[in-house]
Amino acid sequence: MSSSDFSKKKLKAIVFTDIANFTKLSAQDEQKALDLIQHQNEIIKPIVEKHNGEWLKEIGDGLLLSFDSSLDAVQCSIQIQEALRNEDDLDLRIGIHQGDIFIKDGDVYGDDVNVASRIEPFSAVGGIAISHKVQADISSTPEYTTKYIGQPKLKGVQQEVKVYCITSHGLPETKLSDVSAKLEKKTN
């Protein structure tokens, strides 16, 4: 990429979603799995629009969204989880990070996109995991409570990232024993 591509970077709150157990559902009933993605999109698109979000990309059963503020991203994600709470098989994990992205030829790039995708597995099913940058942005808003999860070495990510989960708004707390994330292998 040319240096002019990097000049088009934008600071955004990046939301990455994933449907829990989608691979298993897809193996059992591909048509039901495809219908589930369509149903998910029908529910989530108006919520994203309401919070001034941008629908960047669909990645299999996952979504990549961006917002101009961390607060908008958090509020939207909470509303998404509330809307899906009683939907069969639509159990999402959501990860939110804040950082630079750039868009070229309709695709989204940037290390911060990778961070959002790597912290998503630290969310409980039906919950939201956030990076320390998002935590800092919402820390002065008393309606949000969070819990520190840890500082994992995320695979393919150079920056150090502290991960939290949002515990207010009826969201489930992350149990580390349930996390299956892509981490760097430990070297001796």
Side-chain angles (χ1 to χ4, degrees), residues 6-21:
F6 289 102
S7 67
K8 297 176 186 169
K9 280 189 169 187
K10 297 178 184 180
L11 182 64
K12 295 285 189 172
I14 307 150
V15 175
F16 192 88
T17 74
D18 186 62
I19 301 173
N21 301 314

Side-chain angles (χ1 to χ4, degrees), residues 45-115:
K45 275 187 180 182
I47 297 170
V48 172
E49 289 170 5
K50 176 183 171 188
H51 293 277
N52 303 309
E54 188 175 352
W55 192 277
L56 297 176
K57 190 173 183 178
E58 295 174 30
I59 307 162
D61 61 309
L63 301 173
L64 181 60
L65 313 168
S66 76
F67 297 82
D68 289 335
S69 80
S70 293
L71 191 57
D72 284 343
V74 167
Q75 289 172 336
C76 181
S77 296
I78 289 171
Q79 191 171 356
I80 288 170
Q81 291 296 32
E82 288 171 350
L84 298 180
R85 199 166 276 152
N86 297 315
E87 295 289 332
D88 290 340
D89 298 318
L90 262 178
D91 302 312
L92 260 54
R93 288 186 178 92
I94 298 177
I96 309 173
H97 179 57
Q98 182 237 63
D100 286 326
I101 66 168
F102 58 99
I103 300 171
K104 180 173 172 64
D105 299 327
D107 213 342
V108 184
Y109 299 93
D111 191 45
D112 291 305
V113 173
N114 295 332
V115 173

Side-chain angles (χ1 to χ4, degrees), residues 17 29 34 36 44 46 50 62 71 88 90 109 120 157 170 174:
T17 74
D29 188 339
L34 293 172
L36 188 64
I44 294 177
K50 176 183 171 188
L71 191 57
D88 290 340
L90 262 178
Y109 299 93
E120 169 268 315
V157 173
T174 299

